């Protein structure tokens, strides 16, 4: 945990993924993660949401939401404008690459899992990165890169998503191929 001047060890959140969890920030400085590989030998992939600092709580809290998919190596970002956590892609327990989009909505301390009805979506992928951008004229989650399967080259495409408008590809020249990378939004520059 970063205190603003030093790092300290946080308490154990319980069963934590060994790899492939999707991490995201939440309102009020809270953080969370979803899914990930929890038992490599048995191919176990989690469907739990785990948060720290949600609704002012101290410590970590694991929540199993009905209908939540077991995913690993998927991307997630919190869309501040619509107050929804967006999940995309990843691999399921059968090692199938997903192109599904999911929402987690938290209101009055209760979370619900939703599958939006979409007209289009990016190609399925895992190991991509997402971040929320809220610059003037930008109120979208941005998805970048990833891979379509284990033995394929990384992707270099960019997509924007809003819960009210769905997915749209973004034409960007010279973007390098990436997978297993991270992304963050820089306030004020977009």
């Amino acid at each position: 945990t970063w205190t603003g001047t030093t790092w300290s060890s946080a308490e154990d959140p319980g069963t934590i993924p060994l790899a492939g969890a999707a991490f995201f920030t939440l309102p009020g400085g809270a953080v969370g993660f979803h899914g990930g590989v929890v038992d490599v030998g048995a191919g176990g992939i989690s469907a739990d949401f785990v948060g720290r600092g949600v609704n002012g709580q101290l410590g970590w809290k694991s929540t199993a939401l009905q209908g939540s998919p077991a995913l690993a190596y998927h991307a997630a970002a919190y869309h501040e404008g619509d107050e929804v956590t967006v999940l995309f892609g990843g691999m399921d327990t059968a090692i199938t690459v997903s192109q599904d989009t999911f929402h987690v909505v938290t209101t009055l301390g209760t979370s619900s899992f939703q599958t939006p009805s979409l007209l289009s979506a990016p190609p399925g992928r895992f190991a991509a990165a997402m971040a929320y951008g809220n610059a003037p004229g930008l109120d979208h989650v941005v998805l970048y890169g990833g891979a379509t399967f284990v033995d394929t080259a990384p992707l270099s495409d960019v997509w924007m998503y809003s819960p009210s408008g769905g997915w749209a590809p973004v034409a960007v020249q010279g973007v390098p191929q990436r997978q297993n990378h991270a992304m963050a939004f820089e306030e004020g520059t977009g």
Side-chain angles (χ1 to χ4, degrees):
T1 304
W2 177 249
T3 66
T5 57
T6 60
W7 285 99
S8 65
S9 295
E11 70 283 353
D12 183 356
T15 301
I16 59 171
L18 302 172
F23 286 84
F24 46 90
T25 59
L26 292 165
V31 294
F33 62 86
H34 172 262
V37 179
V38 291
D39 185 350
V40 175
I45 296 179
S46 173
D48 287 352
F49 283 87
V50 179
R52 185 171 199 273
V54 178
N55 297 320
Q57 77 184 19
L58 297 175
W60 292 94
K61 180 180 178 187
S62 181
T63 305
L65 299 178
Q66 184 173 355
S68 174
L71 291 171
Y73 304 102
H74 52 307
Y78 181 74
H79 189 287
E80 292 176 19
D82 286 290
E83 299 179 342
V84 60
T85 300
V86 179
L87 306 175
F88 180 78
M91 287 186 173
D92 63 17
T93 55
I95 315 301
T96 302
V97 177
S98 171
Q99 81 173 106
D100 293 332
T101 302
F102 303 102
H103 292 172
V104 179
V105 179
T106 302
T107 52
L108 301 175
T110 303
S111 296
S112 64
F113 182 82
Q114 301 170 357
T115 304
S117 176
L118 300 172
L119 298 176
S120 66
R125 66 193 64 210
F126 68 98
M130 277 196 329
Y132 173 73
N134 62 352
L138 177 67
D139 185 31
H140 291 82
V141 167
V142 178
L143 173 73
Y144 165 49
T148 56
F149 205 73
V150 177
D151 59 353
T152 60
L155 300 168
S156 63
D157 58 343
V158 178
W159 291 75
M160 291 194 337
Y161 178 80
S162 73
S164 58
W167 287 104
V170 179
V172 180
Q173 300 297 318
V175 178
Q177 296 172 311
R178 291 282 185 265
Q179 72 181 44
N180 292 316
H181 55 294
M183 227 167 82
F185 178 76
E186 185 176 7
E187 194 75 36
T189 62

